[in-house]
Amino acid sequence: MQIRDLPYPDPGDPDVRSGPRFLFWLGRNQLRGQLKSMSWGLLHQCSLAGLPPAVGFAVQAVVDRSGSRLAWSGGLIAVLGVLIALGDTMLHRTAITNWITAAARVQQLLARKTAELGAALTRRVAAGEVVAVSTGDVEKIGWFVEALSRFAAAAVALVLICVGLILYLPSLGVLVALALPLLALAVLPLLPRATRRADLQREKAGKATELASDTVAGLRVLRGIGGEELFLGRYRRASQEVREAAVRSARMWSLISAIQVLLPGVLLISLVVYGATLARDGRIEIGQLVTVYSAASLLLFPLRHFEEIAMAYSFSRPSAQRAVRVLSLHRTDRPSTVDATPTGDLYDPVTGLMAPAGLFTAVVCGDPDEAGRLAERLGGHAHGDADSGGVGNGAEDSTEDGASDSTDDAASEQKIPSVLLGGVPLDELPLDSARTAVLVQDKDPVLLSGTLRELLDVPSSGRVTAQDALSAARCGDVLDSLAQASVATDGDPMTTRITERGRSLSGGQRQRLALARSLVTDPEALVLDEPTSAVDSHTEARVAAGIKALRQGRTTVAFTSSPLLLDLADRVVLVHRGTVVTVGAHRELLHTDPRYRAVVTRETDDEIAVLTSQDAINPIRTIEEVEERA
């Protein structure tokens, strides 16, 4: 695999049973690259191992006053120097290639999963966690894949060098061969504790980052209520906890490094003392002692890779586990039996909500959270416990070795009925068809950075132009402000760049631009969750009229409690505690249903009781009386 071959034509189906299994799957899919890197690493390590004998031969040649052997030794050292440079260069090149290709594979998998799940992804995993996995965690996973081949080359080189020393000089080679396993495995008892401390540090750092992000996002509100110092104190405490955790983690890793310096030092001292005794007694030559000592000194270099692979694994394992948590999310769609996108009524069998085809239906819920969940269900996205029709997560309910929780099977058997469009369950439609048929705009839509033209360049039926959608969403003032900001583009608002998440716009402007984007798509059924909550009443009335006019003959569902929207709706549905309790016109329901009147007019329980008793004595006859009492 070469970097120029990226991205992968197909990144494959990952093993998401656990973090270690995912790492193994990554390494196995880059076996060719790992073997190539390992081969160059062996060339580098073996060339380094060849220096001690060459130096030993040179020293012995000087002792024996042999010029020819000294020349041969010098030539051998020069050749080994070239091979060391070549091996080190190519090892670095191939190892970095392995790192980049592994990171690219993980990012492709994450991008594919994000596109597959859409908005359902962030209902199971926080958006910040997805970003963290695709940035910092990908880097740590790539580090382990990169270090793996270097470690394998170092381990093979250690075995070869030990065998060579035993054959060359058994009296000292056996000492080195017996000591090396102890040096390599001495830090293993400390690794679990070091890993736990590193995990704790990352956990605290994540919480501090989340707190900082929330503080920045809510800075305007904090200033309004004078809460800056309170949150600043919380962040200071959180940052101090991160610092303390980082210090404790660094102490453990420094102890591991110190052990890997101390024990080899003890080996070298022992080797010199014992070897000098043998040389004094004439049992070995000076050149042999220099050769064995030099080889033992160079063994410390490959031993460093044991520490590196331990650190890489300890950092990459939790990162891989987080990646697995995202990648194991899946849609449990049933096999599609429908070829064309259906048309007709939109019906939810759970609540009994019916949105007739071609009509503007307004839905009133006393609980805003219930309204959001119902809007998601209408779009074919399950929420919370009702995941069986939309998203399932095998990582959260599985043990480290991949054994699934038995409760998943029981939950899967109790599937909640899917929403029907024209009598066809949405979860039986292909994903693209389901998204084309029903579009849901939630109450906090996101605007991607780019120009306004790019924002409105979305898949659509082609029946609604961008200008028509902007006009229906009453975005005239937004276009004026963008035109003033587009000095470099001759005042064309369509070419003005919108900053990330539309932060340069007000809440109402962002909401109307998002509404225009939804109107451009012109889906068979459009579901809007509080589409005018961020605008004033005058703009709200105009937006409501624009939506109804543009969506004439198309199915539209709006979750709202605004009288201006409700009065324009063809029919109004009241949902109470997860069930449709009444259907009718807005003005009619104000007269006849106290619960509906309480939600729309924001009455308290005491006011409801008083008005109910008054209605029994003196019924309300006109809408003006309702507004007067409210």
Side-chain angles (χ1 to χ4, degrees):
M1 185 68 187
Q2 299 292 330
I3 294 177
R4 62 174 173 266
D5 297 327
L6 296 175
Y8 292 98
D10 179 14
D13 295 319
D15 187 344
V16 294
R17 289 176 290 177
S18 67
R21 290 176 184 268
F22 179 65
L23 292 174
F24 175 75
W25 177 84
L26 279 176
R28 185 185 63 197
N29 278 270
Q30 289 184 215
L31 185 59
R32 183 177 178 183
Q34 294 288 347
L35 291 176
K36 186 184 296 185
S37 182
M38 180 180 171
S39 300
W40 288 114
L42 279 175
L43 176 64
H44 175 63
Q45 299 284 353
C46 292
S47 300
L48 281 174
L51 283 178
V55 173
F57 293 151
V59 171
Q60 192 62 42
V62 172
V63 172
D64 297 340
R65 297 181 182 277
S66 174
S68 60
R69 281 192 292 160
L70 181 60
W72 279 105
S73 299
L76 178 59
I77 291 175
V79 172
L80 289 174
V82 174
L83 293 177
I84 290 171
L86 177 63
D88 192 23
T89 301
M90 296 306 298
L91 171 63
H92 178 75
R93 178 184 177 88
T94 53
I96 293 300
T97 300
N98 288 336
W99 179 84
I100 293 176
T101 50
R105 186 188 296 274
V106 176
Q107 287 180 327
Q108 275 188 258
L109 290 171
L110 290 170
R112 185 176 69 178
K113 184 60 65 175
T114 302
E116 174 189 340
L117 298 176
L121 175 63
T122 54
R123 287 194 293 273
R124 294 298 299 270
V125 181
E129 183 173 349
V130 178
V131 174
V133 171
S134 60
T135 53
D137 286 333
V138 164
E139 181 179 351
K140 294 181 178 66
I141 293 171
W143 177 28
F144 175 76
V145 174
E146 172 202 358
L148 192 59
S149 56
R150 288 203 301 265
F151 165 72
V156 173
L158 284 176
V159 174
L160 294 177
I161 293 172
C162 288
V163 172
L165 287 176
I166 293 175
L167 296 176
Y168 175 71
L169 190 62
S171 55
L172 292 180
V174 171
L175 174 63
V176 175
L178 292 176
L180 274 182
L182 176 63
L183 298 182
L185 302 177
V187 298
L188 285 183
L190 299 177
L191 288 180
R193 183 177 298 180
T195 302
R196 287 194 297 270
R197 292 188 179 186
D199 290 345
L200 180 62
Q201 175 196 351
R202 283 190 292 271
E203 179 183 350
K204 291 185 177 297
K207 291 181 179 179
T209 303
E210 182 179 353
L211 179 61
S213 300
D214 291 343
T215 303
V216 172
L219 189 59
R220 181 179 299 179
V221 177
L222 290 177
R223 286 175 176 171
I225 62 176
E228 301 103 309
E229 289 300 323
L230 174 63
F231 276 82
L232 181 59
R234 291 182 181 177
Y235 182 73
R236 283 173 176 165
R237 289 192 296 272
S239 62
Q240 288 302 313
E241 291 178 1
V242 174
R243 181 188 63 80
E244 293 171 1
V247 169
R248 293 183 71 247
S249 178
R251 285 174 180 169
M252 185 57 62
W253 288 112
S254 63
L255 177 60
I256 292 174
S257 299
I259 290 175
Q260 290 200 326
V261 172
L262 175 63
L263 294 183
V266 173
L267 171 63
L268 291 178
I269 293 173
S270 303
L271 192 63
V272 169
V273 172
Y274 182 56
T277 303
L278 295 178
R280 183 190 61 189
D281 296 340
R283 297 166 60 184
I284 63 172
E285 297 178 349
I286 296 298
Q288 290 177 319
L289 175 59
V290 172
T291 299
V292 176
Y293 176 78
S294 301
S297 300
L298 288 177
L299 285 176
L300 304 184
F301 179 73
L303 277 175
R304 284 289 180 182
H305 292 294
F306 283 77
E307 177 187 359
E308 182 191 19
I309 196 65
M311 292 183 64
Y313 180 74
S314 68
F315 281 94
S316 64
R317 183 185 56 79
S319 295
Q321 196 63 43
R322 283 191 288 269
V324 161
R325 181 167 179 257
V326 176
L327 295 176
S328 61
L329 297 171
H330 61 278
R331 289 178 60 95
T332 54
D333 297 334
R334 288 176 282 183
S336 176
T337 58
V338 182
D339 296 330
T341 302
T343 59
D345 300 338
L346 186 64
Y347 175 67
D348 177 25
V350 176
T351 60
L353 173 62
M354 168 71 76
L359 297 184
F360 181 11
T361 302
V363 182
V364 177
C365 293
D367 182 3
D369 293 335
E370 181 183 7
R373 290 192 294 268
L374 181 52
E376 291 167 359
R377 274 192 51 75
L378 291 180
H381 306 297
H383 190 285
D385 296 333
D387 277 352
S388 55
V391 179
N393 186 357
E396 293 178 315
D397 301 325
S398 62
T399 59
E400 183 67 19
D401 61 358
S404 299
D405 194 329
S406 60
T407 57
D408 290 344
D409 296 333
S412 64
E413 294 177 357
Q414 300 176 351
K415 289 186 176 181
I416 296 178
S418 172
V419 171
L420 307 178
L421 178 62
V424 178
L426 288 181
D427 61 5
E428 291 186 3
L429 293 175
L431 182 59
D432 293 341
S433 298
R435 290 179 175 172
T436 301
V438 183
L439 175 67
V440 179
Q441 176 179 304
D442 60 26
K443 64 181 65 177
D444 187 22
V446 176
L447 299 183
L448 302 179
S449 60
T451 65
L452 180 57
R453 180 174 286 109
E454 293 171 342
L455 175 70
L456 299 178
D457 185 16
V458 293
S460 65
S461 66
R463 287 189 290 264
V464 178
T465 65
Q467 294 301 325
D468 291 339
L470 290 169
S471 176
R474 299 301 185 258
C475 295
D477 61 319
V478 185
L479 296 177
D480 292 339
S481 62
L482 291 177
Q484 294 175 2
S486 62
V487 178
T489 56
D490 300 327
D492 184 3
M494 300 300 292
T495 58
T496 304
R497 286 197 66 82
I498 298 173
T499 58
E500 180 188 5
R501 301 181 68 90
R503 298 187 190 279
S504 59
L505 304 172
S506 68
Q509 290 175 330
R510 288 197 299 270
Q511 191 175 57
R512 280 177 284 158
L513 284 181
L515 175 60
R517 179 179 59 188
S518 299
L519 293 174
V520 165
T521 61
D522 190 36
E524 180 67 27
L526 176 62
V527 180
L528 305 171
D529 187 8
E530 295 290 352
T532 57
S533 59
V535 299
D536 59 81
S537 56
H538 176 68
T539 304
E540 184 178 31
R542 297 171 59 226
V543 170
I547 294 174
K548 183 171 183 179
L550 190 64
R551 294 286 300 173
Q552 191 71 34
R554 309 287 278 171
T555 306
T556 307
V557 180
F559 288 82
T560 182
S561 59
S562 166
L564 295 172
L565 271 172
L566 296 171
D567 197 38
L568 286 175
D570 297 316
R571 63 200 303 269
V572 179
V573 178
L574 174 63
V575 177
H576 181 65
R577 295 181 179 177
T579 304
V580 172
V581 293
T582 187
V583 179
H586 169 61
R587 294 173 182 254
E588 173 190 350
L589 295 179
L590 279 176
H591 284 279
T592 60
D593 197 305
R595 286 176 299 190
Y596 178 82
R597 187 164 63 241
V599 174
V600 174
T601 61
R602 279 72 168 177
E603 295 173 353
T604 64
D605 292 340
D606 293 339
E607 290 172 335
I608 294 173
V610 171
L611 289 175
T612 302
S613 61
Q614 291 177 351
D615 291 344
I617 300 172
N618 185 20
I620 301 175
R621 300 187 181 280
T622 65
I623 190 65
E624 289 74 14
E625 293 180 34
V626 174
E627 294 173 348
E628 182 179 353
R629 288 194 182 185

